[in-house]
Amino acid sequence: GFSYYCTASAGRERTLIAVKPDGVQRRLVGQIIQRFEQRGFKLVGLKMLKAPEDLLSQHYHNLQKKSFYPYLLCYMTSGPVVVMVWEGFNVVQTSRMMVGSTNPAEAQPGTVRGDFSIHVSRNVVHASDSVAGAEREIQLWFNGRELIDWDCCDHNIVCEFT
Ligand code: IDP
């Protein structure tokens, strides 16, 4: 559980969201960014790149023994990705809900995967699955200078700080 009030540190939770190559090809980047903006989260990092294989193997280190892993690497290197860091209260858990189940066949309508995808091998977005995982992934994809420390003018409107 989490408290109703938002402490300064709880308000600075961060997560890594990536638009995968199918999402970029299908021009979904804008719509995905819009969902996180309108929810009330703050964008603190953003870049486009062709992900190197060694970066992906670290990112997906827990999946290397899976039978689909070679296909996953092929998919993730098939074109550019747009990687973002979003910040705000409970952002890891909330963004997993916004993204929906890994398998789009099980993803609720209203989620990114539930609205834009049909098959697990082309599920449009990545979202970190824990606070610790998010910290690890953010360090993997971004260097410190690429993360912008800024105050959004509505930060104490979208969250009640103690
Ligand atoms: P997550 O992305 O929802 O956290 P993970 O289990 O960490 O889910 O899997 C990482 C990614 O690997 C998925 O988002 C999906 O792109 C791919 N993947 C997972 N399971 C399968 C599968 O059974 N076949 C093909 N690709 C899969």
Side-chain angles (χ1 to χ4, degrees), residues 20 60 63 68 72 75 96 102 113 120-121 123 126-127:
K20 295 177 175 182
Y60 285 129
L63 298 176
F68 61 80
L72 178 60
Y75 163 45
R96 288 288 287 190
T102 302
R113 287 166 173 165
V120 69
S121 65
N123 61 0
H126 169 78

Side-chain angles (χ1 to χ4, degrees), residues 20 60 62-63 66-69 71-72 75-76 96 99-103 113 119-129:
K20 295 177 175 182
Y60 285 129
N62 58 324
L63 298 176
K66 301 280 188 184
S67 57
F68 61 80
Y69 181 75
Y71 300 99
L72 178 60
Y75 163 45
M76 291 298 294
R96 288 288 287 190
V99 161
S101 300
T102 302
N103 185 349
R113 287 166 173 165
H119 194 269
V120 69
S121 65
R122 299 289 185 272
N123 61 0
V124 178
V125 270
H126 169 78
S128 307
D129 69 357

